[in-house]
Amino acid sequence: MHKAGQVNAPVFEELPLALECRMTGQTDNGNIVADIVNITCDEAFLDADGRPDVRKMQLLSFNPVNRTYLVVDQEAGQAWNEGRKLLQAAVAAHAPLAQ
């Protein structure tokens, strides 16, 4: 473990990726809003362009319904494009978006 470079927090060497965040606020329902100020990644988990490749990390996600862990490695869609399609469909149908 060592100190993060941009914030007052520890970084654990055992983790493939670390996001250093600086809290900027909190929503009324308690969600924390923060800016990512630094990203560190083990070189073994970088793609050919030097960007973090989460597929190589074999990250786990907890499924609370079935009390199981899932490996995150399959792309489901492009960020923003999928959300834009949902928004356009809702506007076209004059349906209010669920909050």
Side-chain angles (χ1 to χ4, degrees):
M1 182 170 41
H2 66 273
K3 185 181 178 315
Q6 301 293 318
V7 296
N8 185 21
V11 174
F12 299 91
E13 284 92 7
E14 297 83 6
L15 299 176
L17 181 73
L19 302 177
E20 297 178 33
C21 301
R22 185 166 290 121
M23 185 173 161
T24 59
Q26 189 170 2
T27 64
D28 291 339
N29 62 358
N31 292 323
I32 293 173
V33 180
D35 290 329
I36 298 172
V37 296
N38 193 35
I39 300 172
T40 56
C41 184
D42 186 313
E43 288 185 14
F45 301 103
L46 298 177
D47 66 12
D49 296 322
R51 296 178 300 198
D53 185 344
V54 296
R55 287 186 187 108
K56 291 181 178 181
M57 296 176 198
Q58 297 183 316
L59 301 174
L60 295 177
S61 177
F62 179 62
N63 176 350
V65 174
N66 298 316
R67 296 182 308 209
T68 59
Y69 291 100
L70 305 170
V71 176
V72 179
D73 70 349
Q74 186 176 3
E75 187 174 295
Q78 290 291 314
W80 308 113
N81 291 336
E82 302 306 317
R84 186 177 300 118
K85 290 176 193 175
L86 291 171
L87 178 61
Q88 290 170 344
V91 169
H94 301 289
L97 293 175
Q99 293 293 323

